[in-house]
Amino acid sequence: MIRGNRQSALVLFSGGQDSTVCLYWALQHFVHVEAVCFKYGQRHEIEVEIAQRIAQKANVPLRIIHAEMISRLSDNALTNPLTIMDREQTTDEPPNTFVPGRNLLFLSIAAIVAREKHIFDLVTGVSQTDFSGYPDCRESFIKSLNTTLNLAMDEEFVIHTPLMWKNKKDVWQLANELGIFDLVKNETITCYNGIPAAGCGECPACLLRNNGLIQFEEERKILNKKDIIQ
């Protein structure tokens, strides 16, 4: 027997492109949606402010969780402002923007928070298609952790990953379908250097986001031309 409320979901939310799309995806699929955002010593804490702003606009309760210990457990470019970020993805190991254990800890903490609210559906924006070399964005990890959480708490959590097999062009397409294209384009933050919207245009996160946007807009122009011809 499934315990808890299957009409509610808890979204792991950062104010970025992917998590914002997931937030609105959850609003379409669940009656009640809440969100959690983590302060983990990231070099651009402006994302927390943006997350609060978007959550308020979406009328979604947002809880800020302090997890600064993560920044003290490893040396990486997202928590150490003195570390120069890798501009290209390496082939033999994750880039130095990888924060070891981040998704493991975030999802585990989110599950504890959700359980206290009798919520057993978690939503996260990880993607294996555009995973940037991060091992904790792969489907195999999510499935494994889902099993572990259920065993650890004797519950029946379901971790939803709406973007798992979508590239950034597909994410823009989904944002458009959800009616939040302008919101995602103008108000979210993806940039590793903490610049909202189009960002710095040079870091790996900006390149993925902006290249996906170009591909989506080019495809949309082609489809619009076909519609006019027909």
Side-chain angles (χ1 to χ4, degrees):
M1 178 179 177
I2 296 177
R3 291 175 285 177
N5 182 3
R6 299 259 78 133
Q7 293 185 319
S8 298
L10 182 69
V11 180
L12 282 77
F13 188 52
S14 69
Q17 175 189 13
D18 294 344
S19 66
T20 299
V21 171
C22 285
L23 183 72
Y24 280 85
W25 177 90
L27 287 168
Q28 277 205 348
H29 289 80
F30 295 91
V31 175
H32 177 72
V33 175
E34 298 190 25
V36 291
C37 180
F38 292 89
K39 293 184 72 171
Y40 61 96
Q42 61 266 55
R43 62 197 289 172
H44 51 285
E45 286 195 3
I46 186 177
E47 70 179 27
V48 178
E49 299 173 18
I50 291 176
Q52 290 175 308
R53 196 179 308 149
I54 294 174
Q56 185 176 21
K57 181 172 292 189
N59 197 28
V60 171
L62 176 68
R63 177 175 176 178
I64 307 299
I65 295 178
H66 290 266
E68 284 86 355
M69 67 170 186
I70 294 177
S71 66
R72 298 190 289 271
L73 296 177
S74 66
D75 185 26
N76 59 81
L78 283 195
T79 59
N80 185 351
L82 300 179
T83 300
I84 299 175
M85 298 180 187
D86 290 336
R87 287 186 174 273
E88 297 181 1
Q89 183 173 327
T90 57
T91 56
D92 56 344
E93 60 184 18
N96 66 3
T97 50
F98 172 57
V99 183
R102 180 175 57 173
N103 285 338
L104 171 64
L105 291 170
F106 284 3
L107 282 162
S108 298
I109 294 171
I112 297 169
V113 172
R115 183 180 182 277
E116 290 301 301
K117 296 174 175 289
H118 303 288
I119 296 174
F120 297 94
D121 289 86
L122 308 175
V123 183
T124 180
V126 298
S127 169
Q128 187 162 325
T129 304
D130 278 335
F131 77 131
S132 301
Y134 300 168
D136 60 357
C137 289
R138 296 176 296 184
E139 185 179 49
S140 57
F141 162 72
I142 295 297
K143 287 183 175 180
S144 174
L145 181 59
N146 202 150
T147 299
T148 298
L149 291 175
N150 290 343
L151 290 172
M153 289 186 258
D154 193 24
E155 300 290 358
E156 295 189 38
F157 289 101
V158 176
I159 302 176
H160 300 270
T161 55
L163 310 183
M164 180 59 74
W165 300 108
K166 295 183 183 297
N167 58 31
K168 280 296 182 284
K169 177 182 73 68
D170 299 329
V171 176
W172 283 110
Q173 174 66 39
L174 181 55
N176 191 55
E177 293 170 0
L178 292 169
I180 56 168
F181 178 82
D182 288 338
L183 170 68
V184 173
K185 183 178 181 181
N186 300 319
E187 299 184 39
T188 61
I189 181 167
T190 301
C191 178
Y192 285 156
N193 289 310
I195 303 173
C200 69
E202 298 180 354
C203 73
C206 283
L207 292 175
L208 269 177
R209 171 187 169 120
N210 295 335
N211 287 339
L213 177 59
I214 291 171
Q215 292 170 15
F216 168 70
E217 291 186 328
E218 287 178 348
E219 185 175 282
R220 185 164 58 171
K221 287 179 182 178
I222 293 173
L223 292 175
N224 287 341
K225 285 182 180 179
K226 286 183 179 179
D227 289 339
I228 293 174
I229 294 174
Q230 292 176 351

